[in-house]
Amino acid sequence: MAVMGIAEALREGIREEMRRDPTVFCIGEDIGVPGGWGGAFTVTLGLSEEFGPERIIDTPISESGFAGIAVGAAMTGMRPIADVQYGDFLFCMMDQLVNQAAKMTYMAGGAVKVPLVMRAPVGSTRRGAQHAQTLEVFFTHVPGLKVVAPSTAYDAKGLLKAAVRDDNPVLMFEHKLLYGSKGNRAEKGAVSPIGEVPDEDYIVPIGKGAIRRPGKDVTIVGKLLTVYRALGAADQLAEQGIDAEVIDPRTLVPLDKELILESVRKTHRFVVVEEDNRTHGWGAEIAAMVAEEAFWYLDAPPVRVSAPDIPPPFAPGLEELYVPSIDRVVAAVKGLF
Amino acid sequence: MPEPLGADRLLALYRKMLLIRRFEERCNALFLQGRIPSTLHLYIGQEASATGVCAALRQDDFVLGTHRPHGHALAKDVSPRIIMAELMAKATGCCRGKGGSMHVGDVRQGVFPAVAIVGAGCPIAAGVGLSARMRGTDQVAVAFHGEGAANEGDWHEALNMAAIWKLPVIYVCENNLYGASTHFDKVFRVAHVADRAVAYGMPGVTVDGNDVEAVRDAAITAVARARAGEGPTLLETLTYRQCGHSRSDACDYRPDDEETEWKSRDPLTVTGARLLAEPHSLPQSALDEAEASVATEIDDAIAFADASPAPSPDELERYVYWEGD
Ligand SMILES: Cc1ncc(C[n+]2csc(CCOP(=O)(O)OP(=O)(O)O)c2C)c(N)n1
Ligand SMILES: [Mg+2]
């Protein structure tokens, strides 16, 4: 059992999958350049030394192009792990992900599979409007894609391995404040959870959520960074006599609905915390699901704690107001009692 | 130079072009009768392009078609039965009724579901080529596309990456002078699309796309280069669609004399005349037999589609995700 952060756990996961299966390869910008960074957040650092430039493929700055290359390779027996430097650039490859990767199996009447992984860093980190968005909901809306969002080192490695072995396109969202990247790629204000990661092979199954803190009075659902905001809030609420259950779905599509519903049927109160913009957001979908499927168990309306409907602001003081804080989660929960 | 074709093999290419032509004409009639529910982008007039290119390919090579894909699929030997069944929205169609005209393909023939987003097939073909190399095969990928696609970002990104990595891909640009209603001259400052190849460091070749032998010869050279690991080629086939862009297009934006000029160079007329003349000297009956056997094949395809069931309602949510082989 080794102790490591998420960037390292992902790196080890990729390394093991590439050793296990010769069809697995990495493709992206600045991921394998000798003397470079190993991707924007060090995840692929050192992998080109073991696997060479043929399997750690550095591309031109051509997001749509290399996404399409990953689609074509995946359709013909390879298992690419593609890497976008910042999730915000997924918009540059939207057609390849949404019209091509997601629909190829369907358009072929089930005769083609597209086993690709697209990894994307998200989250507000003092980079302003074009390098700090939360993008998951753009993709959770697309039939044909699977979407995962690990918040611990254990899950990062286990979900990465599950994603590589899945026969569908999987988008993996990673939060910049959770990576634990080191050296000059370290992030200010990082949470960087360190966790135990088994040495032996394991996967975290796609579609299975986790209870991060059991409780009986209220269900709080968060993902990526907001899992930690929810846990922080739960600690404060405990001091005030409210016992919160914190759920991390880990996979956004397909969603482990039953884990959330079972919790709500027990606690009778529900809050979802997201770094996404509020309107038409991910939290709205989860809240609607709870309202539809557990309405008669609720003692209070389902509530969202979200980012406001603005682009991520740059000024640190404003950014702090943008990303849901522990205090906002505490206030939302107390409003239900 | 590739070896010239003997009469038998040239006749086979003639028959393939004729199959595409008559198939498309029947599709048009079926569409007008309301038996094909989709829109249709017909390949009439362009048959020599796909036929010549696919004559240079092996069965295990790959093809990506476009929104105008029937000719690409037929040229790569996808069965007319399952294409017709797909067009008529039947469960036995090549996409089980999930694709329609713009997505026909059959991976067993190396033909992927056609990509109807202009230009988007070009990077996918580069990925197919990369995969062929990584898997240690000498398969090649062909990305058919119209000249309109050469003004999409995906096209430029794809050609650049295919060139820098010397991928086994042939970019076949079917320049039919128009992208929908827009003339080539309005959207290009270069005389030929192939002129752009120099920007990516690959050969750019322009051929008469209505001459199946010229297309085949150029494709053989490009395929040999790709298989040898020397990289991609941009092959521009100059051709003309002798029909509207899609179902309801009267082509009022095209001058009559331009249409007449191109019809005089119809690919079937060109090759038919060549077969009758020296050195092949086939009798007219050889062409008539081709006509008759093509008619039988298409009748059979339509009968197959007619007899097939529509997808059942319980198929509605299937194949969104991979369900296994
Ligand atoms: C990205 C994109 N833009 C626009 C369209 C609509 N559209 C379909 S075909 C077409 C013309 C394409 O011209 P060209 O590439 O020359 O192919 P051709 O139709 O001449 O075979 C257009 C604009 C589309 N399908 N995809
Ligand atoms: Mg055109």
Side-chain angles (χ1 to χ4, degrees), chain B residues 310-317:
Chain B
S312 73
D314 58 18
E315 288 269 296
L316 178 66
E317 296 191 17

Short mmCIF file of all heavy atoms in Angstrom, two decimals, chain B residues 310-317:
data_model
loop_
_atom_site.label_atom_id
_atom_site.label_comp_id
_atom_site.label_asym_id
_atom_site.label_seq_id
_atom_site.Cartn_x
_atom_site.Cartn_y
_atom_site.Cartn_z
N ALA B 310 -39.53 -3.09 -40.16
CA ALA B 310 -39.03 -1.86 -39.55
C ALA B 310 -38.44 -2.22 -38.18
O ALA B 310 -38.77 -3.27 -37.62
CB ALA B 310 -40.17 -0.86 -39.39
N PRO B 311 -37.56 -1.38 -37.63
CA PRO B 311 -37.04 -1.68 -36.29
C PRO B 311 -38.21 -1.74 -35.30
O PRO B 311 -39.13 -0.94 -35.38
CB PRO B 311 -36.13 -0.49 -35.97
CG PRO B 311 -35.90 0.21 -37.26
CD PRO B 311 -37.04 -0.12 -38.17
N SER B 312 -38.15 -2.70 -34.39
CA SER B 312 -39.25 -2.83 -33.44
C SER B 312 -39.09 -1.78 -32.34
O SER B 312 -37.98 -1.31 -32.07
CB SER B 312 -39.27 -4.24 -32.84
OG SER B 312 -38.21 -4.37 -31.93
N PRO B 313 -40.20 -1.39 -31.71
CA PRO B 313 -40.13 -0.34 -30.68
C PRO B 313 -39.13 -0.67 -29.57
O PRO B 313 -38.53 0.25 -29.00
CB PRO B 313 -41.56 -0.29 -30.14
CG PRO B 313 -42.41 -0.78 -31.27
CD PRO B 313 -41.58 -1.80 -31.99
N ASP B 314 -38.93 -1.94 -29.28
CA ASP B 314 -37.99 -2.24 -28.19
C ASP B 314 -36.52 -2.05 -28.60
O ASP B 314 -35.62 -2.22 -27.79
CB ASP B 314 -38.24 -3.63 -27.55
CG ASP B 314 -38.14 -4.74 -28.57
OD1 ASP B 314 -37.56 -4.50 -29.65
OD2 ASP B 314 -38.65 -5.86 -28.30
N GLU B 315 -36.32 -1.66 -29.86
CA GLU B 315 -34.96 -1.32 -30.31
C GLU B 315 -34.61 0.13 -29.97
O GLU B 315 -33.48 0.57 -30.17
CB GLU B 315 -34.86 -1.46 -31.83
CG GLU B 315 -34.86 -2.88 -32.32
CD GLU B 315 -33.44 -3.42 -32.44
OE1 GLU B 315 -32.67 -2.89 -33.25
OE2 GLU B 315 -33.13 -4.35 -31.67
N LEU B 316 -35.62 0.90 -29.50
CA LEU B 316 -35.46 2.36 -29.37
C LEU B 316 -34.19 2.77 -28.64
O LEU B 316 -33.46 3.63 -29.08
CB LEU B 316 -36.69 2.97 -28.68
CG LEU B 316 -36.63 4.48 -28.46
CD1 LEU B 316 -36.65 5.23 -29.78
CD2 LEU B 316 -37.79 4.94 -27.57
N GLU B 317 -33.94 2.17 -27.49
CA GLU B 317 -32.82 2.65 -26.67
C GLU B 317 -31.56 1.79 -26.81
O GLU B 317 -30.66 1.87 -25.98
CB GLU B 317 -33.28 2.74 -25.20
CG GLU B 317 -34.38 3.78 -25.07
CD GLU B 317 -34.73 4.15 -23.64
OE1 GLU B 317 -33.91 3.87 -22.74
OE2 GLU B 317 -35.81 4.72 -23.43
#
